[in-house]
Amino acid sequence: MHFQLGCNQRYAREMRVESRIRYQGYSSMPEYPKGVSSDEEKNMQESETKALFSVIGMTCSACAGSVEKAIKRLPGIKEVAVDVLKDRTQVIFSPSSVNEETIRQTIEDIGFKATLIEETANEKCIWVCRIRIVGMACTSCSGAVESVLKLVPGVQRAQVALATGEAEVKCDHKLLSCKELLQAIDDIGFEAIIVGTGESRNKIQLKVDGLCNENNVQMIVSSLEGQPGIQDIQVEAELHKVSISYLADVTGPRNFIRVIESTGSGQFKATIFPERGGRGTHKQEEIIQHYNSLLWSLVFSIPVFLTSMIFMYIPVLKDGLDMKIVNMLSIGEVLRWALSTPVQFIIGRRFYAGSYKALRNGSPNMDVLVALGTNAAYFYSVYSVLRAASSPNFKSTDFFETSSMLISFILLGKYLEVLAKGKTCQAITKLMDLAPETAILLTLDDEGNVTKEEEIESQLIQKNDVIKIIPGAKVACDGFVIRGESNVNESMITGEPRPVIKRKGDAVIGGTFNENGVLHIRATKVGSESALSQIVRLVESAQMAKAPVQKFADRISKFFVPLVVFLSFSTWLAWFLAGKLNAYPKSLIPSSMDSFQLALQFGISVMVIACPCALGLATPTAVMVGTGVGASQGVLIKGGQALESAHKVECIVFDKTGTLTIGKPMVVETRLLKSMALREFYEMVAAVEVNSEHPLAKAIVEYAKKFREEEESNVWPEVKQFESITGQGVMAVVRNREVIVGNKRLMLKKNVAIPVSAENFLEETEGFAQTGILVSIDHELVGVVAISDPVKPAAQEVISILTSMQIKSILVTGDNWGTAHAVAKEVGIGTVIAEAKPEVKAEKVKDLQALNFVVAMVGDGINDSPALVAADIGMAIGAGTDIAIEAADIVLMKSNLEDVITAIDLSRYTFRRICLNYIWALAYNLIAIPVAAGALFPSTGICLPPWVAGAAMAASSLTVVCCSLLLKNYRRPKKLDALELQGLTVE
């Protein structure tokens, strides 16, 4: 299986206004440079011109291929993008070689009506900027950051993920810069760091030794600016760092190093800049920071706890601590005050800073509750100590152990929480670690012989490099095999457990493992274009996207903290008034307290036991782990919404070709109706079909090659007047004879008589789930070609399992009714819709939705894209077209049908975990707050000291994260494992 996310996907992401639907019909997409200067842009415009045509008559990918192929034959054509669904074709060309009228006439010559469309709107330069945000504590913080980002002019979409501490912002780079985004975040009190910008650009960071002054910098920038393909250069002289954004098709990092080192008199030395501040590094730094804070807090808090709770029961130590210094002020009180003050104001300053930010933004969070609770305990204790020092009769009771131990327990909970949250990101970390650090670069002579081997860093690989992969090594980049044969383990990328044999011409994926042979591969996709990079980006985006159920926590978080503060104050007031009014026996009050202090303890406990973090983490942590587990199983889930919606699926609409069938049509039988040699027959047919992009045409051409195996050349007879008739077939003149190849409708349209024997054979082929292609020469039917696309081995079992899961299956295909019914009968599908155009597939999906079905669509082709977008959940086969993958919500990387079941089952498993998280978070707060308020105290004498309440609060967040981590134990249904053991899965 070759999982490929091409350049057209990147262009689609830049151009579409909505998230999935803008260019779902293109057969190929051009790449546009981003971040170029105004002078560069002007030069580009002078050398290239863009024209948009309305093309009427296209209905399928074969039509798109015909138009694209015809235009590309013209001189000066740079790029062609064909939109089947919107009947448009965009062409980038050199005006010195060709003009719009020639292009328009070329399109009309192949049978379509073409009109030039004048474009008035300029394209927007859309970037996706990823930002790491430091200091977010709960959903109130993330909600505040997201709201501020959305208000920045030029921002189209902003998503903030609390679990990862990152934001993803889609913005128009012409209207704002990344610095403005950072400033907007900084203005509300959070630290922001750019992680990456511009999805479709390759970027390399080089360390340049010898950068001493501004002249050096200017020399290097000037040298680099003269190189083709460089889009942006940024220099940080103090770090000796040069960041270069470039077009991988034009240039690469080794060229930059050569240019830098040849600048001046050889005074500069360039290497890859050492990675710092990545996701893993940042997480490690965060863990160390929390650990150090906890450690110092315990250094001061444990003595406070011992002097107030333990040493008071040891006579010798108690007497020493009770010794008076001034009036009623004792040594123990002074010690506790001195030890708790650093905890409160130095170690606990993060809570003050967080509270200030939250209150300034009007979104109070957990930090506010902690700051209020610890301040109440600390400053009441200070008041009590100062009064004891000034009075000979007042016996103070302090709560210094409450404030210090409360902060310590919360820091302990945060430390354990950040450890657990780090484990939720392991899926991305493991994917990023798949790329090898080094690669063996080969230099070949003109005859293809190896003249030099050189070990280089994998980041220095450029497009079209030849790389040697030895046994036991990882494949360094995406490419195809040019020499050698070996078994390659692709399980880490596709989830396919069995090694796949790779021979000359086969595609390989970067990060996979070469098992036994030596391979020479030619690099085709490097840097951000590689499949591994795009999978990482897809999983990152999926983890950023909020599930709809997250809105429940967002709504609660808006009023949660104010409500808790109100309940805390009400608790203190109620107990205080009850004590003053003698509403409860004085014997209930501990001997070391009075009624005011008891009421204060209850009020503080209520404030610190409430936990908004548990609610905020319930969904994102489960989504993070769930999408990571899906990626490891070969199921890429694009975000929380897809993950949540998939569990509701009640009906699945399947495409036929490439989805239920293997997708590789082959000729299985030929019926000649006239006396002629089979080789001559296929010579004529292949000569016509070689000009078509249709899969059936390719199958005929491949079969025809078998009759000329002794010939090295596969040049077919010249054709004239080639014409493609959409949805029916093709026709041309070959050797002065008119050849028509197509279906029954085309023959009737051209007045070609169809004998009874041919009719019977057509019915027979359809009964065997085959497609019959009729061939006429000089208006006389001479033969019928039967083409079969075998059903995938596991298709019948998958449909059966879906039925047992109460999920209805429907087949919708553009193929004829006979073939469609035969395939449906073979796999066990009862409802069939055949001869359906792309818009009909989408309409069928909408009809099912109108009947209140939650519909999933499974497809692989361009013509499936409208239905994939229209469905509640679109699932694309990984080996399908890039447009289908772009339009889908879930990508099945192994192209195995059983992964449809895995996706739905994982969604159900994850959603149950989310519900369990919410039940725990809500139940905890609903039970813990009344207990902390003293609901059990009158009847049982049970009360929670504030530091115990703080420990319970920290434990609640940790429990939610650990509950989500249990998703890592997910195993797909045992029925699917049984299919694999039976050998029914497709490799």
Side-chain angles (χ1 to χ4, degrees):
M1 193 285 297
H2 178 212
F3 179 72
Q4 180 180 358
L5 298 175
C7 61
N8 53 354
Q9 184 179 1
R10 298 184 290 124
Y11 179 69
R13 269 200 299 267
E14 290 180 12
M15 294 295 294
R16 64 187 186 211
V17 175
E18 297 299 331
S19 63
R20 296 181 299 166
I21 193 169
R22 174 66 70 188
Y23 280 97
Q24 68 259 28
Y26 279 144
S27 62
S28 63
M29 306 289 176
E31 297 178 31
Y32 284 10
K34 298 162 67 177
V36 295
S37 67
S38 57
D39 291 338
E40 290 172 318
E41 187 174 10
K42 183 178 179 181
N43 292 336
M44 287 166 53
Q45 289 172 350
E46 289 175 354
S47 60
E48 295 181 357
T49 301
K50 180 178 67 177
L52 186 66
F53 297 88
S54 170
V55 182
I56 306 301
M58 298 186 297
T59 59
C60 66
S61 59
C63 303
S66 299
V67 172
E68 181 181 348
K69 196 170 184 179
I71 296 174
K72 283 186 174 179
R73 290 195 184 108
L74 297 172
I77 299 298
K78 305 291 185 180
E79 298 287 351
V80 181
V82 183
D83 185 342
V84 179
L85 304 179
K86 294 185 178 179
D87 297 323
R88 295 194 177 191
T89 297
Q90 182 174 275
V91 185
I92 299 176
F93 62 95
S94 173
S96 60
S97 303
V98 69
N99 57 33
E100 291 93 339
E101 178 58 27
T102 302
I103 298 171
R104 189 194 67 79
Q105 188 61 50
T106 299
I107 298 172
E108 294 205 339
D109 287 345
I110 59 173
F112 301 99
K113 181 176 175 57
T115 308
L116 178 65
I117 299 175
E118 297 291 339
E119 283 194 298
T120 57
N122 292 325
E123 293 178 9
K124 291 185 177 180
C125 186
I126 304 301
W127 275 19
V128 176
C129 184
R130 298 185 67 84
I131 304 172
R132 182 178 301 122
I133 301 169
V134 180
M136 295 191 298
C138 63
T139 50
S140 296
C141 303
S142 59
V145 174
E146 189 170 300
S147 299
V148 167
L149 287 173
K150 287 180 177 178
L151 294 175
V152 177
V155 171
Q156 294 188 356
R157 186 187 72 240
Q159 293 178 316
V160 179
L162 173 64
T164 60
E166 293 185 359
E168 184 177 88
V169 185
K170 184 179 181 182
C171 55
D172 185 349
H173 192 59
K174 291 181 180 179
L175 299 181
L176 82 162
S177 66
C178 294
K179 290 182 179 179
E180 292 176 79
L181 295 175
L182 297 182
Q183 187 61 48
I185 298 172
D186 185 67
D187 288 344
I188 60 172
F190 295 97
E191 181 185 353
I193 305 167
I194 292 291
V195 176
T197 58
E199 280 188 330
S200 59
R201 296 199 304 174
N202 285 280
K203 189 172 185 177
I204 190 76
Q205 295 178 334
L206 301 177
K207 181 181 179 181
V208 181
D209 296 327
L211 280 179
C212 304
N213 52 51
E214 185 63 32
N215 289 334
N216 295 151
V217 172
Q218 194 59 44
M219 285 173 60
I220 289 177
V221 171
S222 299
S223 298
L224 289 172
E225 282 180 342
Q227 300 299 309
I230 292 182
Q231 297 178 291
D232 185 48
I233 304 170
Q234 296 177 349
V235 181
E236 298 176 61
E238 65 278 5
L239 298 177
H240 297 270
K241 179 179 178 182
V242 178
S243 301
I244 306 170
S245 298
Y246 63 96
L247 293 174
D249 286 333
V250 181
T251 187
R254 292 203 311 282
N255 295 342
F256 310 148
I257 292 176
R258 187 181 66 253
V259 169
I260 291 172
E261 293 184 346
S262 63
T263 299
S265 56
Q267 66 195 81
F268 303 116
K269 178 69 175 175
T271 56
I272 295 292
F273 194 85
E275 290 287 341
R276 292 190 183 94
R279 180 188 291 268
T281 305
H282 168 70
K283 284 292 179 186
Q284 194 61 36
E285 290 175 354
E286 189 178 10
I287 290 171
I288 293 172
Q289 181 183 0
H290 278 82
Y291 175 77
N292 291 336
S293 297
L294 172 63
L295 189 63
W296 281 109
S297 178
L298 291 176
V299 166
F300 291 99
S301 298
I302 290 176
V304 174
F305 178 78
L306 292 175
T307 58
S308 62
M309 307 296 291
I310 304 298
F311 292 167
M312 301 308 293
Y313 297 98
I314 302 175
V316 177
L317 296 177
K318 182 179 185 300
D319 293 341
L321 293 172
D322 285 345
M323 286 180 63
K324 306 303 182 199
I325 300 175
V326 179
N327 290 328
M328 297 297 290
L329 178 63
S330 67
I331 292 177
E333 290 168 341
V334 173
L335 280 174
R336 289 192 290 274
W337 186 8
L339 290 169
S340 63
T341 299
V343 178
Q344 183 70 33
F345 297 108
I346 299 176
I347 299 170
R349 70 183 181 275
R350 55 175 292 168
F351 300 112
Y352 288 100
S355 300
Y356 171 72
K357 296 172 188 175
L359 292 174
R360 191 175 72 173
N361 300 326
S363 54
N365 59 9
M366 185 205 72
D367 289 338
V368 173
L369 298 180
V370 174
L372 286 174
T374 56
N375 277 336
Y378 179 83
F379 285 108
Y380 174 78
S381 301
V382 171
Y383 159 77
S384 180
V385 167
L386 292 177
R387 185 174 176 186
S390 61
S391 171
N393 302 315
F394 179 78
K395 185 178 180 181
S396 70
T397 301
D398 64 80
F399 289 99
F400 286 123
E401 85 285 350
T402 294
S403 64
S404 59
M405 291 303 295
L406 177 57
I407 289 174
S408 295
F409 273 113
I410 291 173
L411 290 176
L412 173 62
K414 284 292 179 184
Y415 171 65
L416 295 175
E417 183 182 317
V418 77
L419 277 177
K421 284 165 68 177
K423 293 182 182 296
T424 65
C425 300
Q426 283 183 350
I428 292 179
T429 304
K430 288 179 179 178
L431 282 171
M432 295 174 72
D433 289 343
L434 290 177
E437 294 183 0
T438 61
I440 300 174
L441 175 67
L442 300 180
T443 303
L444 307 181
D445 59 20
D446 294 338
E447 297 178 358
N449 299 315
V450 177
T451 60
K452 182 182 178 182
E453 289 189 11
E454 178 186 2
E455 187 174 46
I456 62 171
E457 294 185 68
S458 59
Q459 290 176 279
L460 295 178
I461 297 174
Q462 299 181 182
K463 208 164 187 179
N464 294 320
D465 280 347
V466 177
I467 305 297
K468 179 180 179 181
I469 314 296
I470 61 176
K474 292 179 180 177
V475 178
C477 61
D478 292 4
F480 62 90
V481 178
I482 61 173
R483 181 182 298 176
E485 181 176 319
S486 179
N487 289 310
V488 176
N489 186 345
E490 298 181 339
S491 62
M492 62 290 296
I493 298 291
T494 68
E496 175 58 54
R498 291 186 292 270
V500 180
I501 190 167
K502 299 293 182 179
R503 300 185 178 92
K504 184 177 179 179
D506 289 340
V508 291
I509 307 172
T512 53
F513 185 79
N514 182 31
E515 294 199 339
N516 51 9
V518 176
L519 296 175
H520 291 184
I521 68 167
R522 187 172 297 280
T524 56
K525 294 183 183 296
V526 296
S528 63
E529 293 182 351
S530 69
L532 181 59
S533 295
Q534 296 193 47
I535 290 170
V536 169
R537 206 155 49 232
L538 191 152
V539 175
E540 284 178 333
S541 298
Q543 294 180 346
M544 294 293 301
K546 290 183 179 179
V549 72
Q550 176 69 24
K551 295 177 182 177
F552 172 70
D554 293 341
R555 286 195 296 267
I556 292 178
S557 67
K558 292 179 181 178
F559 60 82
F560 185 88
V561 173
L563 177 62
V564 169
V565 173
F566 172 76
L567 291 175
S568 175
F569 178 77
S570 300
T571 299
W572 170 82
L573 184 62
W575 279 102
F576 177 70
L577 293 177
K580 290 297 182 182
L581 299 174
N582 297 318
Y584 59 84
K586 296 295 183 182
S587 59
L588 289 177
I589 303 176
S591 58
S592 60
M593 295 184 183
D594 58 22
S595 60
F596 175 84
Q597 293 166 341
L598 180 66
L600 182 62
Q601 176 176 286
F602 283 133
I604 294 173
S605 294
V606 169
M607 191 170 295
V608 299
I609 203 169
C611 186
C613 294
L615 283 167
L617 293 170
T619 297
T621 53
V623 168
M624 284 187 68
V625 180
T627 52
V629 169
S632 67
Q633 300 263 352
V635 178
L636 288 183
I637 303 172
K638 297 183 181 180
Q641 182 167 355
L643 191 64
E644 180 182 339
S645 300
H647 89 280
K648 304 175 185 176
V649 169
E650 302 167 293
C651 178
I652 299 182
V653 176
F654 288 96
D655 175 46
K656 181 182 74 69
T657 304
T659 303
L660 289 176
T661 63
I662 293 176
K664 295 180 180 178
M666 58 188 72
V667 176
V668 293
E669 189 175 352
T670 306
R671 181 73 58 87
L672 293 180
L673 304 177
K674 299 294 179 180
S675 177
M676 66 185 302
L678 201 57
R679 173 179 174 133
E680 181 187 0
F681 172 81
Y682 273 106
E683 283 275 320
M684 303 286 281
V685 175
V688 179
E689 291 285 39
V690 77
N691 296 285
S692 174
E693 295 293 323
H694 199 282
L696 299 183
K698 292 180 179 180
I700 291 176
V701 173
E702 284 299 314
Y703 186 76
K705 290 178 181 178
K706 296 179 180 179
F707 295 97
R708 2 171 53 188
E709 288 181 349
E710 70 280 1
E711 298 180 18
E712 293 184 4
S713 173
N714 277 325
V715 178
W716 304 100
E718 183 182 358
V719 300
K720 299 177 182 178
Q721 302 175 28
F722 174 82
E723 182 181 358
S724 174
I725 298 91
T726 304
Q728 297 180 32
V730 293
M731 58 187 296
V733 175
V734 182
R735 294 171 178 168
N736 296 321
R737 304 181 71 183
E738 185 182 53
V739 180
I740 303 175
V741 184
N743 57 21
K744 186 176 178 180
R745 279 184 296 166
L746 178 59
M747 297 302 160
L748 295 176
K749 181 179 178 181
K750 296 298 180 180
N751 298 317
V752 177
I754 302 176
V756 175
S757 59
E759 293 272 13
N760 294 336
F761 184 66
L762 284 176
E763 292 180 9
E764 184 181 330
T765 58
E766 291 178 358
F768 288 110
Q770 299 169 358
T771 301
I773 303 296
L774 301 172
V775 179
S776 83
I777 298 178
D778 291 335
H779 287 272
E780 185 178 14
L781 199 68
V782 297
V784 184
V785 179
I787 298 177
S788 173
D789 185 7
V791 171
K792 289 181 177 178
Q796 183 177 357
E797 287 73 15
V798 168
I799 300 301
S800 176
I801 294 172
L802 288 172
T803 302
S804 68
M805 295 169 67
Q806 308 300 314
I807 296 176
K808 182 179 181 181
S809 299
I810 296 175
L811 173 60
V812 179
T813 178
D815 212 335
N816 62 73
W817 283 97
T819 303
H821 276 296
V823 171
K825 183 178 180 181
E826 184 175 349
V827 301
I829 294 178
T831 305
V832 181
I833 297 173
E835 299 180 4
K837 295 182 179 180
E839 60 271 21
V840 175
K841 293 183 180 182
E843 286 300 323
K844 180 58 183 176
V845 168
K846 293 175 183 178
D847 290 343
L848 291 168
Q849 290 170 329
L851 297 174
N852 296 321
F853 281 106
V854 177
V855 183
M857 170 70 193
V858 184
D860 71 324
I862 292 174
N863 59 344
D864 298 321
S865 299
L868 288 169
V869 173
D872 298 287
I873 291 292
M875 297 187 189
I877 299 297
T881 65
D882 294 336
I883 305 305
I885 290 170
E886 177 69 14
D889 302 290
I890 297 174
V891 181
L892 311 179
M893 295 171 61
K894 289 185 287 185
S895 301
N896 286 345
L897 269 182
E898 53 266 35
D899 285 341
V900 173
I901 298 171
T902 301
I904 295 172
D905 187 67
L906 176 60
S907 172
R908 292 179 177 181
Y909 193 79
T910 304
F911 191 73
R912 285 197 297 269
R913 189 66 58 181
I914 291 173
C915 292
L916 185 61
N917 285 347
Y918 274 126
I919 290 171
W920 162 254
L922 290 172
Y924 163 81
N925 283 290
L926 291 174
I927 295 172
I929 290 177
V931 172
L936 302 178
F937 184 67
S939 59
T940 64
I942 295 176
C943 66
L944 292 180
W947 60 272
V948 175
M953 184 269 285
S956 67
S957 296
L958 182 62
T959 303
V960 166
V961 176
C962 290
C963 187
S964 295
L965 281 173
L966 291 176
L967 275 168
K968 295 177 76 173
N969 297 324
Y970 170 80
R971 296 292 180 270
R972 66 180 191 164
K974 292 182 179 179
K975 294 179 180 178
L976 299 184
D977 293 330
L979 291 183
E980 189 171 315
L981 290 173
Q982 295 170 24
L984 295 179
T985 57
V986 179
E987 295 188 19

